Amino acid sequence: MAQQQKKEPDQSQLLKVRREKLAQLQEEGKDPFQIMKYDVSHHSQEIKDSFAELEEKSVSIAGRLMSKRVMGKASFCHVQDLEGTIQSYVARDSLGEEEYKAFKKLDIGDIVGIVGKVFKTKTGEISIHADEVTLLSKSLQILPEKFHGLTNTDLRYRQRYVDLIMNPDVKDTFIKRSKIISTIRRYLDGQGFMEVETPMLVSNAGGAAARPFETHFNALDEDLKLRISLELYLKRLIVGGLERVYEIGRVFRNEGLDTRHNPEFTLMELYQAYTDYHGMMDLTENLYRYVAQEVLGTTTITYQGVKMDLSKPFERITMVEAVKKYSGVDFDTIHTLEEARAAAKEHHVEYEERHKKGDILSLFFEEFAEEHLIQPTFVMDHPIEISPLTKKKPEDPAYTERFEFFMNGWEMANAYSELNDPIDQRERFKAQEELLAQGDEEANTTDEDFMNALEIGMPPTGGIGFGIDRMCMLMTDSAAIRDVLLFPTMKTLDR
C-alpha cells in the first residue's frame, strides 16, 4: 500500500490555532494587545547602512515577523519594518528557556520587538543577535505566501494593507508618491506661492467639464455637490490680493473607471497674478525637472520601457498645428461649421449636432494627435468653444490662450491665461447653460458669487491644474492609476 500523504491543516484550523494561542497568552497575563508602546532605536536599512558604527552595539527594532526557521536551540527569523527586512539570530542561551519557548510559538505575521547586538553571520548577512523578543501584536489572519503572484489584482487593491506587507515595490511606490508631493510643495513655496484650502462641498461645482456627485445637507435642507475643480475659489483669492496661491486636494467626478481615471483623485491647481499661460509653461517645465531630479535623481523618466527626456526644452505646438501634423487636415483653411463637419465625415470622426467648429477641431486632436505626444509637449491655443474660462487670443478671438501639457500621450496639466473680463465671462457661462439645456451634463452653470468677484476686479492671471496621480504614475512606472492610489474606488462586494 502506498504511504498515505500527510494531510495539510485547512485554513479554518490554522486560524483557530492562532486564536487559541492568543487566549493562552491572555490567560497567562501576557496579552500582547495590552502593550502600549515600544522603544525603537533603529530601522532595518539604517542598521545595514551604519554597520561599521553599530557592530556589537545593542539596538532595538520592531516590525512584522516574515519568516522563522527553528533549529533546536537556535533559530533565525526575518523582521520587516518601514525600511525593509533584517535577520535576527535567536538562541535559547541568550533568551532563556521560557522566552525561547514563547518565540517558537510565534506565527508569521505577528508584530514583534527585538533587542540585541548587531553582527554579521558567517555568510555575511548583517543580523541582530537577539537578547529579548517581545510579542507586540498577535496576527489572527494568515499572510499569503506569494501575494505578488496572485492574478486577482482586485484583492490587492481591496486589501492594500496586505499588498504593502507582501510587496516591497508597492510600498516604495507610495513612499515615492509622498516625496513627489512634498517636493512639489517645496518648489512652489520657494517660488513665493501660498498653500490654501477651499471647500469640497459646494452649491455650484464649476471650473471643469465633468459630472459632479450630489448630496444633501440636512442641517440647511440644501442640495450640495462635491467639487470637480479647485478653480473658482482659488481665483476668488487672487481677487482678494493673494497673488500666488495653490491647493493640492481631492476632487470628485461622477465618471467611469479605467487605468487613468478614478472618481476621486488628487488635483493641484495654482494661480499667479500678473502672468499668462507662457509663464505657466515656464513654471511647468521647471517644476517637472525639479521634481524628477529630486525624487528620481535624473531628468529622464522611463515609463513601461519608454524614455521621456525632461532636460530638453519642451516642445510647443498649437492644436491646429498638431492636428495638421498628425491628420493632414488644416483647420486654418476650414472656415465654416459645414466644412468642419465635412472633414469629420471624411476622416470618420464622430461628432454631435451641438458641436461647433472648435469642438470638431478638439475631436480631431483627440483622435489623431494625442497618442503621438510622448515627449513633453505643450499643446497651445485651444478653440473658444471648449475653453469657457480662458482669455481669447487678441489676434484671433476664435482661439484662447490655453495649453494642455502632454507626456506619454496623456494630458498631464491644463493651463490658461485666465479670463478676467466679467462681461465676457457671463456670456461664456450663458453659452455653457445653453449646452446644459441641450443635454450636456458636463457643462458649467453661472456662479453668481464668482461673477461678483470678477466684477470687483481680478488682475491678469495665469493658472494651471496638474493631475498629481498621473504624474505619480509616470515617475513610479505604475501601469494604472489604482497602483498609485492607496485605496482606489472599488465596487462594493455583496455581503
Side-chain angles (χ1 to χ4, degrees):
M1 179 183 285
Q3 187 176 357
Q4 188 175 4
Q5 288 187 335
K6 185 178 178 181
K7 188 177 180 182
E8 293 290 330
D10 63 21
Q11 186 91 346
S12 61
Q13 183 60 33
L14 292 172
L15 294 174
K16 181 183 176 187
V17 168
R18 291 194 177 212
R19 291 179 183 271
E20 288 172 351
K21 287 181 181 180
L22 174 62
Q24 185 179 353
L25 287 167
Q26 290 170 332
E27 287 173 14
E28 295 170 356
K30 299 176 182 177
D31 187 349
F33 299 128
Q34 295 299 315
I35 293 176
M36 300 304 178
K37 59 175 290 190
Y38 188 81
D39 292 327
V40 175
S41 69
H42 295 78
H43 283 85
S44 55
Q45 192 59 46
E46 182 185 2
I47 293 169
K48 293 174 183 178
D49 292 342
S50 306
F51 176 73
E53 299 96 70
L54 293 175
E55 187 175 13
E56 292 304 318
K57 291 194 171 108
S58 184
V59 297
S60 65
I61 65 161
R64 192 175 298 276
L65 192 65
M66 298 301 290
S67 73
K68 188 178 70 166
R69 196 156 40 99
V70 177
M71 301 177 297
K73 299 177 183 179
S75 302
F76 285 96
C77 67
H78 281 88
V79 175
Q80 177 176 290
D81 61 15
L82 175 66
E83 296 182 356
T85 61
I86 192 164
Q87 179 174 266
S88 180
Y89 173 70
V90 185
R92 186 185 66 182
D93 292 346
S94 298
L95 258 62
E97 189 83 35
E98 290 304 312
E99 293 303 315
Y100 188 62
K101 280 183 181 178
F103 167 79
K104 290 198 291 184
K105 290 180 181 178
L106 294 178
D107 291 307
I108 301 304
D110 288 348
I111 308 289
V112 298
I114 294 179
V115 175
K117 292 183 178 61
V118 178
F119 78 109
K120 195 176 281 187
T121 65
K122 291 177 182 178
T123 59
E125 184 170 353
I126 294 170
S127 306
I128 299 171
H129 190 139
D131 294 317
E132 298 174 20
V133 178
T134 305
L135 176 60
L136 303 175
S137 183
K138 185 69 187 166
S139 175
L140 300 179
Q141 280 286 356
I142 298 168
L143 292 176
E145 289 183 20
K146 291 186 178 179
F147 202 72
H148 194 68
L150 289 180
T151 54
N152 187 355
T153 53
D154 183 81
L155 184 61
R156 287 182 53 212
Y157 297 139
R158 290 186 189 279
Q159 297 184 10
R160 180 68 83 187
Y161 41 91
V162 182
D163 196 19
L164 288 166
I165 293 167
M166 302 306 297
N167 295 319
D169 55 327
V170 171
K171 186 186 289 184
D172 290 344
T173 292
F174 288 104
I175 291 172
K176 197 171 286 183
R177 178 188 171 107
S178 178
K179 288 179 179 176
I180 289 167
I181 293 172
S182 64
T183 303
I184 291 171
R185 285 192 165 102
R186 189 161 63 247
Y187 178 81
L188 292 177
D189 293 347
Q191 296 295 312
F193 282 84
M194 171 181 168
E195 185 172 11
V196 297
E197 294 175 312
T198 61
M200 290 191 182
L201 285 171
V202 295
S203 56
N204 188 328
R211 285 179 59 189
F213 287 94
E214 299 181 359
T215 187
H216 185 77
F217 183 23
N218 292 332
L220 295 180
D221 192 24
E222 285 186 2
D223 290 332
L224 294 174
K225 299 177 178 67
L226 289 173
R227 66 184 181 187
I228 60 173
S229 168
L230 313 174
E231 180 166 349
L232 300 186
Y233 280 97
L234 291 177
K235 284 183 179 176
R236 286 168 167 90
L237 299 180
I238 295 291
V239 170
L242 302 181
E243 294 181 1
R244 299 187 182 202
V245 295
Y246 75 95
E247 181 173 7
I248 300 174
R250 286 284 177 141
V251 296
F252 309 86
R253 299 183 181 180
N254 200 347
E255 299 170 345
L257 293 160
D258 62 30
T259 57
R260 282 184 283 159
H261 294 88
N262 195 70
E264 58 173 312
F265 61 96
T266 303
L267 181 65
M268 178 179 76
E269 291 196 30
L270 63 88
Y271 293 85
Q272 179 179 341
Y274 312 114
T275 190
D276 61 4
Y277 75 146
H278 293 291
M280 293 295 101
M281 288 186 219
D282 295 339
L283 183 147
T284 301
E285 280 202 44
N286 293 333
L287 174 64
Y288 258 77
R289 285 194 194 108
Y290 179 80
V291 173
Q293 189 63 53
E294 290 290 306
V295 176
L296 305 177
T298 176
T299 53
T300 298
I301 294 174
T302 302
Y303 182 78
Q304 308 290 291
V306 177
K307 292 188 185 302
M308 287 161 272
D309 187 357
L310 299 172
S311 66
K312 300 173 184 175
F314 295 2
E315 183 181 1
R316 303 186 182 197
I317 186 172
T318 68
M319 183 175 281
V320 169
E321 289 168 346
V323 168
K324 182 179 178 181
K325 180 177 179 179
Y326 294 109
S327 75
V329 177
D330 185 358
F331 269 74
D332 279 341
T333 65
I334 293 176
H335 303 291
T336 66
L337 175 58
E338 287 69 29
E339 290 172 347
R341 286 176 171 174
K345 288 176 182 175
E346 182 182 347
H347 289 80
H348 309 291
V349 174
E350 294 184 7
Y351 62 89
E352 297 176 24
E353 281 301 309
R354 61 184 174 83
H355 284 150
K356 298 182 172 60
K357 175 190 165 186
D359 296 300
I360 293 174
L361 168 62
S362 179
L363 292 171
F364 263 85
F365 173 75
E366 292 172 4
E367 182 72 26
F368 293 104
E370 275 192 10
E371 63 182 321
H372 299 287
L373 305 177
I374 304 301
Q375 296 304 315
T377 305
F378 294 117
V379 177
M380 309 180 296
D381 303 350
H382 292 49
I384 193 168
E385 291 90 343
I386 61 169
S387 310
L389 297 162
T390 315
K391 274 189 174 180
K392 298 173 186 174
K393 290 183 70 65
E395 67 276 18
D396 190 351
Y399 295 92
T400 61
E401 292 198 343
R402 173 184 175 188
F403 73 79
E404 289 174 303
F405 173 50
F406 281 84
M407 287 179 67
N408 194 51
W410 303 348
E411 179 200 335
M412 305 298 294
N414 186 22
Y416 314 149
S417 294
E418 301 297 333
L419 179 59
N420 63 342
D421 177 347
I423 298 170
D424 188 356
Q425 182 63 80
R426 186 170 289 281
E427 288 301 312
R428 306 275 192 99
F429 274 141
K430 184 179 177 182
Q432 286 285 301
E433 290 193 339
E434 288 174 1
L435 291 175
L436 189 66
Q438 294 170 23
D440 184 353
E441 295 180 326
E442 296 184 349
N444 286 198
T445 56
T446 305
D447 185 326
E448 289 297 343
D449 183 71
F450 175 66
M451 289 304 310
N452 185 62
L454 284 189
E455 289 173 2
I456 295 290
M458 186 173 87
T461 298
I464 188 165
F466 289 90
I468 296 295
D469 304 311
R470 290 187 187 178
M471 186 180 193
C472 291
M473 286 175 67
L474 284 187
M475 292 198 178
T476 61
D477 197 12
S478 298
I481 193 170
R482 289 181 172 189
D483 296 325
V484 296
L485 299 175
L486 279 167
F487 300 102
T489 301
M490 306 290 290
K491 185 177 180 181
T492 303
L493 293 172
D494 292 331
R495 295 184 182 276

